[in-house]
Amino acid sequence: MLRYEAATGVRIPEYAETAMLKNVQTLSDNAAALLGSTSCQPHNLRESMLAYTALVRHRKSDWALQQGQKLVETMHSLLEADGQMDYAKLAERTGKPLTKDPLCAQSSPAGQWFNATATTGRAIESIVWFHEATGDPRALELAGRLAEVHLRQSIDPSGKVRAELLDPTHVGHTHSYCGTLRGLLLYGLATGDKTYVNAVAGTYRHGLWGTSISHSGWTPHDQGKIRFPDKEGDPIGEHASCGDVAQIALWLALRAGQVDLLDDVERLIRARLFPSQIADAKNPRRDGAWGVYSHPFGYGAILDVFAAVLHSLADFHQNIVTTGTDGSHSVNLHFDIDTTAIAVRSRRDRDATLSVTVKEPSMIRMRVPGWASRESVRLSIDDKPVPLPLRWEGAYVVMAKEAVTAGSVIALSHDLPERQTVEEMPISHRKFQLDWRGDEVLACDPKVGIYPAKVSR
């Protein structure tokens, strides 16, 4: 909620924030500063640090700073020589029994491969952010210790998802795996260590697609062993991992120069996150939510997934437009937004039109999706066509500062090519044919929950 507030300016109601803060303080009142209720949940290392970081960053909370530092020191002290965490000692510090969920407290004999993506791996991201919010060197040191472990344990140098993680007898979790990739990437970006950036980029391009996520954004809850199948035997899906993959693509695009991945970001938002959001005004506890879902093209509502998707959407919103050190503005994603310098509106019909209203004259860069034909791209200022050839910088069409004035409306148009894809489920081998226009799904055959049925012409 604090991220959403920072991105949109919509204030959290005081009564709700007071109640939530009380919950956080009560659930983390232990010697480890780990959030938990009736048991010790190492899965919550990430959630604990995210909460403390948000409270430090957005509320300047001294209490959250002290709690975060306590948890950092707890993790430092409980990491064993091979990088595994002593979960039994963690439970002792919380004063609660260790969870019996094998996902959240897996350990292996010293010297053997282990999977800690559901505990320390997914926590790296929040520890990096805690360091950025506080400057605490111990946090960055901890992130480095964990990043080294997970580069070795969770990443395959080939770029493929590690075979151990996909083993049908191994208990894994796609959202935690994607969270580990997020953390490794952020650590690499924060420290300038390209080893981590390149490892995540390789996994993103050569491992995730077709294994952890489909072209339209279906992401299985389970990685490896199917603990939660749907009625057809396929793993149930959840939307948090879809948001994870899109955020990895966003960070690689805007912070590591791999701009072509912005096409993936927009497609996952338009084709999966937007259509799968529940709209049920009669049920406020579900209205606007995302969650775990049974049908691969269905709906679901569960709070932690809702929160994860909201985190991702806040990040996408804040990066629709970015400002360069030279004062120029880049429109990276084709969604509506108002900033102090420009207002952006995106319209889709048979063709796409991106309109940018200039408030303060500056150089404007507008990204053209990679699937749009360059021959179809047209540019106008106040309804007057800009002569060809247009000025390009990579995937962006550029309008010079001198060409616009306050109040000018720049319109970028391009085609929306149509195509078809087929997605096949891993166990049942059910097939779904999707009809696309640009990066949006027009229809699905057979009919599914989140897309219209195919109409014969």
Side-chain angles (χ1 to χ4, degrees), residues 76-86 110-111 114 145 148-149 152-153:
H76 265 302
S77 67
L78 297 182
L79 281 178
E80 299 176 329
D82 65 352
Q84 296 190 79
M85 175 165 284
D86 191 328
F114 61 89
R145 291 180 68 187
E148 186 278 327
V149 169
R152 172 167 32 91
Q153 296 294 120

Side-chain angles (χ1 to χ4, degrees), residues 276-289:
S276 64
Q277 185 179 26
I278 294 173
D280 184 3
K282 296 180 180 179
N283 188 345
R285 293 182 68 86
R286 291 174 57 87
D287 191 36

Side-chain angles (χ1 to χ4, degrees), residues 58-71:
H58 301 297
R59 292 295 185 265
K60 313 301 180 186
S61 170
D62 290 333
W63 172 83
L65 171 62
Q66 293 167 8
Q67 286 289 95
Q69 290 173 331
K70 183 189 295 185
L71 184 53

Side-chain angles (χ1 to χ4, degrees), residues 372-389:
S373 64
R374 286 209 170 189
E375 294 76 18
S376 72
V377 177
R378 295 292 182 269
L379 198 64
S380 66
I381 301 179
D382 297 326
D383 294 325
K384 296 180 181 178
V386 174
L388 300 176

Side-chain angles (χ1 to χ4, degrees), residues 29-316:
D29 185 16
N30 56 71
L34 177 67
L35 283 165
S37 52
T38 59
S39 65
C40 171
Q41 291 280 355
H43 201 59
N44 289 353
L45 293 168
R46 171 182 180 269
E47 278 67 23
S48 304
M49 290 302 297
L50 286 176
Y52 300 145
T53 300
L55 287 166
V56 169
R57 179 169 284 162
H58 301 297
R59 292 295 185 265
K60 313 301 180 186
S61 170
D62 290 333
W63 172 83
L65 171 62
Q66 293 167 8
Q67 286 289 95
Q69 290 173 331
K70 183 189 295 185
L71 184 53
V72 165
E73 292 305 323
T74 295
M75 295 178 70
H76 265 302
S77 67
L78 297 182
L79 281 178
E80 299 176 329
D82 65 352
Q84 296 190 79
M85 175 165 284
D86 191 328
Y87 299 123
K89 288 185 178 178
L90 181 64
E92 288 178 10
R93 293 198 188 184
T94 64
K96 298 170 183 176
L98 182 63
T99 177
K100 295 182 180 180
D101 186 346
L103 175 69
C104 305
Q106 298 181 70
S107 59
S108 300
Q112 292 187 18
W113 178 83
F114 61 89
N115 176 17
T117 57
T119 56
T120 58
R122 63 192 259 121
I124 297 171
E125 170 186 21
S126 60
I127 297 166
V128 172
W129 276 336
F130 186 77
H131 165 73
E132 292 179 350
T134 66
D136 187 342
R138 289 287 283 169
L140 188 61
E141 181 185 342
L142 176 61
R145 291 180 68 187
L146 296 176
E148 186 278 327
V149 169
H150 284 278
L151 183 66
R152 172 167 32 91
Q153 296 294 120
S154 306
I155 297 291
D156 191 306
S158 71
K160 300 297 183 182
V161 178
R162 283 192 73 123
E164 297 94 332
L165 294 171
L166 299 177
D167 188 300
T169 66
H170 179 72
V171 176
H173 182 224
T174 302
H175 179 40
S176 293
Y177 173 68
C178 290
T180 301
L181 295 179
R182 287 163 57 118
L184 291 172
L185 176 56
L186 286 178
Y187 178 76
L189 292 170
T191 60
D193 192 333
K194 291 186 178 180
T195 302
Y196 294 94
V197 176
N198 292 340
V200 175
T203 303
Y204 179 90
R205 291 184 181 274
H206 305 297
L208 291 184
W209 296 98
T211 301
S212 303
I213 187 168
S214 74
H215 187 69
S216 72
W218 175 78
T219 49
H221 176 277
D222 295 324
Q223 184 186 46
K225 183 177 182 179
I226 301 178
R227 295 199 296 164
F228 305 106
D230 65 16
K231 65 181 182 179
E232 303 292 341
D234 295 305
I236 60 173
E238 51 81 22
H239 299 114
S241 297
C242 179
D244 290 335
V245 173
Q247 273 192 278
I248 292 169
L250 181 78
W251 298 339
L252 284 171
L254 298 184
R255 300 180 62 181
Q258 302 187 34
V259 176
D260 62 300
L261 299 185
L262 290 174
D263 286 347
D264 292 347
V265 178
E266 274 209 64
R267 184 182 71 255
L268 293 176
I269 296 171
R270 291 184 185 276
R272 179 62 63 158
L273 295 182
F274 282 174
S276 64
Q277 185 179 26
I278 294 173
D280 184 3
K282 296 180 180 179
N283 188 345
R285 293 182 68 86
R286 291 174 57 87
D287 191 36
W290 292 266
V292 174
Y293 50 98
S294 179
H295 191 283
F297 297 90
Y299 298 94
I302 191 168
L303 190 56
D304 66 326
V305 175
F306 188 177
V309 175
L310 190 59
H311 287 178
S312 298
L313 288 175
D315 198 14
F316 303 144

